[in-house]
mmCIF file of all heavy atoms in Angstrom:
data_model
loop_
_atom_site.group_PDB
_atom_site.id
_atom_site.type_symbol
_atom_site.label_atom_id
_atom_site.label_comp_id
_atom_site.label_asym_id
_atom_site.label_seq_id
_atom_site.Cartn_x
_atom_site.Cartn_y
_atom_site.Cartn_z
ATOM 1 N N GLY A 367 -1.741 -12.483 3.374
ATOM 2 C CA GLY A 367 -2.868 -12.173 2.503
ATOM 3 C C GLY A 367 -2.874 -10.718 2.049
ATOM 4 O O GLY A 367 -1.831 -10.151 1.698
ATOM 5 N N LEU A 368 -4.055 -10.114 2.110
ATOM 6 C CA LEU A 368 -4.239 -8.753 1.594
ATOM 7 C C LEU A 368 -3.321 -7.741 2.286
ATOM 8 O O LEU A 368 -2.752 -6.850 1.632
ATOM 9 C CB LEU A 368 -5.708 -8.343 1.762
ATOM 10 C CG LEU A 368 -6.065 -6.939 1.275
ATOM 11 C CD1 LEU A 368 -5.818 -6.804 -0.229
ATOM 12 C CD2 LEU A 368 -7.516 -6.609 1.608
ATOM 13 N N THR A 369 -3.151 -7.870 3.594
ATOM 14 C CA THR A 369 -2.323 -6.902 4.319
ATOM 15 C C THR A 369 -0.850 -7.047 3.930
ATOM 16 O O THR A 369 -0.138 -6.047 3.784
ATOM 17 C CB THR A 369 -2.528 -7.046 5.837
ATOM 18 O OG1 THR A 369 -3.933 -6.920 6.109
ATOM 19 C CG2 THR A 369 -1.789 -5.974 6.604
ATOM 20 N N ALA A 370 -0.401 -8.295 3.714
ATOM 21 C CA ALA A 370 0.975 -8.520 3.251
ATOM 22 C C ALA A 370 1.160 -7.888 1.867
ATOM 23 O O ALA A 370 2.180 -7.251 1.585
ATOM 24 C CB ALA A 370 1.274 -10.017 3.198
ATOM 25 N N ARG A 371 0.164 -8.075 1.015
ATOM 26 C CA ARG A 371 0.187 -7.470 -0.323
ATOM 27 C C ARG A 371 0.307 -5.951 -0.212
ATOM 28 O O ARG A 371 1.068 -5.302 -0.924
ATOM 29 C CB ARG A 371 -1.105 -7.856 -1.068
ATOM 30 C CG ARG A 371 -1.308 -7.167 -2.401
ATOM 31 C CD ARG A 371 -2.606 -7.602 -3.056
ATOM 32 N NE ARG A 371 -2.609 -9.006 -3.448
ATOM 33 C CZ ARG A 371 -1.990 -9.492 -4.528
ATOM 34 N NH1 ARG A 371 -1.329 -8.680 -5.336
ATOM 35 N NH2 ARG A 371 -2.029 -10.765 -4.804
ATOM 36 N N CYS A 372 -0.453 -5.415 0.731
ATOM 37 C CA CYS A 372 -0.483 -3.973 0.928
ATOM 38 C C CYS A 372 0.875 -3.453 1.435
ATOM 39 O O CYS A 372 1.354 -2.413 0.976
ATOM 40 C CB CYS A 372 -1.607 -3.648 1.903
ATOM 41 S SG CYS A 372 -2.049 -1.942 1.924
ATOM 42 N N PHE A 373 1.514 -4.179 2.365
ATOM 43 C CA PHE A 373 2.849 -3.782 2.825
ATOM 44 C C PHE A 373 3.789 -3.653 1.628
ATOM 45 O O PHE A 373 4.514 -2.661 1.489
ATOM 46 C CB PHE A 373 3.426 -4.826 3.794
ATOM 47 C CG PHE A 373 2.817 -4.833 5.180
ATOM 48 C CD1 PHE A 373 2.799 -6.018 5.925
ATOM 49 C CD2 PHE A 373 2.298 -3.689 5.756
ATOM 50 C CE1 PHE A 373 2.256 -6.049 7.204
ATOM 51 C CE2 PHE A 373 1.745 -3.706 7.035
ATOM 52 C CZ PHE A 373 1.723 -4.894 7.762
ATOM 53 N N CYS A 374 3.799 -4.662 0.768
ATOM 54 C CA CYS A 374 4.694 -4.646 -0.400
ATOM 55 C C CYS A 374 4.390 -3.448 -1.297
ATOM 56 O O CYS A 374 5.297 -2.719 -1.710
ATOM 57 C CB CYS A 374 4.536 -5.930 -1.222
ATOM 58 S SG CYS A 374 4.973 -7.424 -0.334
ATOM 59 N N HIS A 375 3.113 -3.250 -1.575
ATOM 60 C CA HIS A 375 2.664 -2.194 -2.486
ATOM 61 C C HIS A 375 3.055 -0.806 -1.963
ATOM 62 O O HIS A 375 3.616 0.017 -2.699
ATOM 63 C CB HIS A 375 1.149 -2.331 -2.656
ATOM 64 C CG HIS A 375 0.502 -1.297 -3.506
ATOM 65 N ND1 HIS A 375 -0.190 -1.606 -4.658
ATOM 66 C CD2 HIS A 375 0.424 0.048 -3.377
ATOM 67 C CE1 HIS A 375 -0.652 -0.488 -5.190
ATOM 68 N NE2 HIS A 375 -0.304 0.524 -4.429
ATOM 69 N N GLU A 376 2.761 -0.562 -0.670
ATOM 70 C CA GLU A 376 3.019 0.773 -0.111
ATOM 71 C C GLU A 376 4.512 1.054 0.005
ATOM 72 O O GLU A 376 4.959 2.168 -0.269
ATOM 73 C CB GLU A 376 2.340 0.936 1.253
ATOM 74 C CG GLU A 376 0.831 0.736 1.268
ATOM 75 C CD GLU A 376 0.105 1.491 0.165
ATOM 76 O OE1 GLU A 376 0.538 2.591 -0.214
ATOM 77 O OE2 GLU A 376 -0.908 0.957 -0.335
ATOM 78 N N ILE A 377 5.275 0.038 0.415
ATOM 79 C CA ILE A 377 6.717 0.256 0.597
ATOM 80 C C ILE A 377 7.378 0.510 -0.759
ATOM 81 O O ILE A 377 8.300 1.324 -0.863
ATOM 82 C CB ILE A 377 7.337 -0.918 1.398
ATOM 83 C CG1 ILE A 377 6.808 -0.866 2.851
ATOM 84 C CG2 ILE A 377 8.864 -0.857 1.376
ATOM 85 C CD1 ILE A 377 7.127 -2.089 3.695
ATOM 86 N N GLU A 378 6.869 -0.110 -1.799
ATOM 87 C CA GLU A 378 7.391 0.168 -3.156
ATOM 88 C C GLU A 378 7.155 1.613 -3.576
ATOM 89 O O GLU A 378 7.976 2.198 -4.291
ATOM 90 C CB GLU A 378 6.692 -0.738 -4.179
ATOM 91 C CG GLU A 378 7.282 -2.101 -4.266
ATOM 92 C CD GLU A 378 6.640 -2.940 -5.351
ATOM 93 O OE1 GLU A 378 5.682 -2.481 -6.018
ATOM 94 O OE2 GLU A 378 7.101 -4.059 -5.534
ATOM 95 N N HIS A 379 6.017 2.179 -3.147
ATOM 96 C CA HIS A 379 5.748 3.589 -3.462
ATOM 97 C C HIS A 379 6.889 4.479 -2.983
ATOM 98 O O HIS A 379 7.184 5.512 -3.590
ATOM 99 C CB HIS A 379 4.470 4.052 -2.757
ATOM 100 C CG HIS A 379 3.205 3.868 -3.544
ATOM 101 N ND1 HIS A 379 2.990 4.463 -4.767
ATOM 102 C CD2 HIS A 379 2.068 3.192 -3.256
ATOM 103 C CE1 HIS A 379 1.766 4.142 -5.194
ATOM 104 N NE2 HIS A 379 1.193 3.364 -4.310
ATOM 105 N N LEU A 380 7.516 4.084 -1.857
ATOM 106 C CA LEU A 380 8.557 4.927 -1.252
ATOM 107 C C LEU A 380 9.834 4.940 -2.090
ATOM 108 O O LEU A 380 10.711 5.767 -1.873
ATOM 109 C CB LEU A 380 8.846 4.467 0.186
ATOM 110 C CG LEU A 380 7.600 4.337 1.083
ATOM 111 C CD1 LEU A 380 8.000 3.911 2.477
ATOM 112 C CD2 LEU A 380 6.805 5.642 1.119
#
Side-chain angles (χ1 to χ4, degrees):
L368 180 62
T369 305
R371 173 180 294 283
C372 195
F373 286 152
C374 298
H375 177 120
E376 302 312 326
I377 292 170
E378 278 184 357
H379 270 300
L380 308 181

